[in-house]
Amino acid sequence: MTRSSAKATARPTAPVGRAVPGPRPADGAAVRRTVLPGGLRVVTETVPGVRSATFGIWARVGSRDETPALGGATHYLEHLLFKGTERRSALDISAAVDAVGGEMNAFTTKEFTCYYARVLDTDLPLAVDIVCDMLTSSVIAPEEVDAERDVVLEEIAMTEDDPSDGVHDLFAATLFGDTPLGRPVLGTVETVNALTRDRVARFYRKHYDPTRLVVTAAGNVTHEDVTARVAAAFEAAGALPGTGAAEPVGPRGGHRTVRAAGKLDVVTRPTEQAHLILGMPGLSRHDERRWALNVLSTALGGGMSSRLFQEIREKRGLAYNVYSHTSGYADCGLFGIYAGCRPDRLGDVLAVCREQLTQVAEHGLDDDEVRRAIGQLAGSTVLGLEDTGSLMHRLGKSELCWGEQLTVDAMLERIAAVTPDDVREVAREILGQRPSLAVIGPVKDRQAARLRDAVA
């Protein structure tokens, strides 16, 4: 079999599709969307004046789509799509991208998977060709499945060796229990060892249908060129029908995930620090109050002037790292406070966290705190979208999760529209709930018993 990693140079003709002009921000960037006959969506953002381009393909599949027996299959498959296609070996894929100084990677979440490449604008044809080839024509050879299994198991071991990372998986299990959202994205040693080539291949065929995929590109690109190249690549692989139309699969609906309250999970390990997350159910990503919740999280634990940072680190010196965070899913969400501290300070850290949660739930934040958090959130939002990779990420997530594209200006308007009363209302609802707690560290039995007071 002949494999080639040469650049594509021919400019394909434009395909027939339903093109929809997107919003045009004041800075000259343009977002456009086309749905190809097979239901494949192509969304691009043209950014004049840059010399890079980031190309990605998003699949509407994550770990919450797995049965217990398939735990870790989505992430395992993410690895395997880099291991070779009918045209390229794994080395061909990596060497071609390295040869042009590009970056290529992928990531799996609980609700979607993304594969992307960031290259010079002149090398965009190569990126399109390689990523499309991987998504449509991966071989998933039995020998690669067996070899990559050990790599995935090493990744699981690496996560277990990093309690600051592992405590997030533990908190998800604490809050959501034995549900798809509560199980780890990577799977477990047992589930990964049980995955066979046939199981993974069936999972691939089921979830990588064009109606479940979104193609995104951002940077010095033209929508017509990207759409034409993508259509040509998918048609060559037999992944798009020659005639007829198919509708894309829409954003996820509700799943009624069960959420726990007042639950404590402790994993005892001989670490130098105790790592904890104290939190409760949050808001789904479809809830318009999420803008107010993000402002609340920013004020409570999003920066050096936040309440938690000031009270726990600056005033008391109880921890080096402390922050709050939110995650929104299709049907639910979570709000959490993370801290890493010496084991003998665990009780003091939890006491301050509970005190702040109670105080903000009952009395809210003052107007100055809210205004400062709005400014911080607005600034970080804009600065986080200053490169083509971040723009590509926003396009894909917006299309998959909401089915619409918000301009940066529209996002800033939503943030600026949040009022102190909005923040106080969401604080009463979210922070007033009974919290759950996850801890990893050298926690003794007597200390674990006292931790129950934190969730009482």
Side-chain angles (χ1 to χ4, degrees):
M1 179 181 299
T2 302
R3 298 185 177 94
S4 172
S5 60
K7 294 183 185 179
T9 55
R11 186 183 183 89
T13 58
V16 177
R18 304 194 299 281
V20 181
R24 185 181 294 274
D27 62 4
V31 177
R32 295 180 61 189
R33 177 181 186 269
T34 292
V35 181
L36 295 173
L40 180 67
R41 288 159 283 180
V42 181
V43 186
T44 67
E45 181 164 358
T46 301
V47 185
V50 301
R51 286 301 315 274
S52 67
T54 304
F55 177 83
I57 300 183
W58 300 69
R60 188 185 177 276
V61 58
S63 60
R64 77 175 304 176
D65 297 297
E66 301 164 353
T67 63
L70 286 172
T74 313
H75 173 256
Y76 200 168
L77 180 59
E78 174 214 309
H79 278 239
L80 291 171
L81 294 198
F82 283 85
K83 305 307 291 184
T85 71
E86 296 175 1
R87 297 166 49 204
R88 293 179 171 92
S89 68
L91 179 58
D92 290 334
I93 292 171
S94 58
V97 178
D98 285 348
V100 298
E103 304 169 0
M104 192 172 187
N105 213 330
F107 59 87
T108 303
T109 72
K110 293 184 185 290
E111 295 190 322
F112 52 81
T113 311
C114 175
Y115 304 79
Y116 64 93
R118 184 169 180 259
V119 294
L120 293 176
D121 52 2
T122 53
D123 296 311
L124 179 65
L126 175 68
V128 173
D129 189 32
I130 290 179
V131 179
C132 289
D133 188 29
M134 287 169 50
L135 268 287
T136 61
S137 305
S138 282
V139 177
I140 312 182
E143 62 273 17
E144 295 292 356
V145 174
D146 292 335
E148 199 64 20
R149 190 188 314 276
D150 289 333
V151 176
V152 174
L153 293 175
E154 288 294 336
E155 189 172 353
I156 292 174
M158 182 174 65
T159 300
E160 292 179 346
D161 280 344
D162 183 358
S164 65
D165 189 11
V167 74
H168 289 274
D169 282 344
L170 180 62
F171 182 69
T174 303
L175 195 64
F176 297 121
D178 188 21
T179 68
L181 281 181
R183 293 190 282 268
V185 171
L186 300 183
T188 65
V189 172
E190 292 75 22
T191 60
V192 170
N193 275 325
L195 289 172
T196 65
R197 190 268 175 192
D198 289 343
R199 279 184 170 183
V200 175
R202 284 197 301 269
F203 195 81
Y204 172 50
R205 290 191 295 269
K206 177 180 179 181
H207 292 286
Y208 281 70
D209 179 271
T211 61
R212 293 175 169 269
L213 302 179
V214 172
V215 175
T216 56
N220 190 17
V221 303
T222 66
H223 184 74
E224 292 81 6
D225 180 56
V226 173
T227 304
R229 292 185 184 281
V230 169
F234 271 73
E235 287 170 358
L240 287 181
T243 59
E247 290 299 319
V249 175
R252 291 175 184 268
H255 298 265
R256 297 183 180 179
T257 298
V258 177
R259 290 158 289 182
K263 187 177 178 184
L264 171 66
D265 278 334
V266 177
V267 174
T268 301
R269 286 186 188 163
T271 56
E272 291 298 318
Q273 282 189 312
H275 300 264
L276 65 99
I277 294 182
L278 179 72
M280 58 278 294
L283 300 174
S284 85
R285 62 167 171 261
H286 299 295
D287 195 318
E288 281 302 309
R289 295 173 300 165
R290 70 185 185 275
W291 303 98
L293 181 59
N294 286 335
V295 172
L296 171 64
S297 180
T298 301
L300 190 60
M304 293 177 65
S305 65
S306 67
R307 284 203 178 193
L308 289 170
F309 191 94
Q310 286 295 313
E311 293 293 332
I312 291 177
R313 175 168 164 169
E314 296 296 284
K315 293 182 180 179
R316 295 174 174 85
L318 293 173
Y320 174 77
N321 196 11
V322 56
Y323 59 84
S324 61
H325 63 284
T326 67
S327 294
Y329 304 109
D331 55 332
C332 60
L334 63 80
F335 175 88
I337 296 171
Y338 165 85
C341 63
R342 293 208 313 252
D344 61 346
R345 294 183 169 185
L346 184 56
D348 293 334
V349 170
L350 283 171
V352 176
C353 289
R354 282 305 308 268
E355 177 187 1
Q356 289 301 315
L357 288 176
T358 300
Q359 185 175 345
V360 175
E362 294 179 354
H363 306 290
L365 300 168
D366 62 48
D367 291 0
D368 286 341
E369 286 180 294
V370 173
R371 281 192 289 268
R372 187 167 63 243
I374 287 174
Q376 181 183 345
L377 187 59
S380 63
T381 297
V382 173
L383 293 177
L385 293 172
E386 286 291 295
D387 65 83
T388 60
S390 298
L391 292 172
M392 184 280 300
H393 185 277
R394 177 174 62 85
L395 295 176
K397 188 174 180 180
S398 295
E399 180 66 31
L400 276 183
C401 297
W402 293 284
E404 65 173 351
Q405 296 292 330
L406 283 180
T407 65
V408 173
D409 286 343
M411 295 169 66
L412 294 178
E413 288 174 4
R414 301 283 183 93
I415 295 170
V418 174
T419 67
D421 285 341
D422 294 334
V423 177
R424 284 188 275 268
E425 181 179 343
V426 80
R428 280 193 297 270
E429 178 178 340
I430 301 302
L431 305 188
Q433 301 174 97
R434 188 179 177 189
S436 292
L437 174 64
V439 181
I440 296 179
V443 180
K444 299 178 181 179
D445 291 344
R446 183 178 300 176
Q447 190 178 21
R450 291 197 299 267
L451 293 178
R452 297 195 179 278
D453 295 338
V455 296

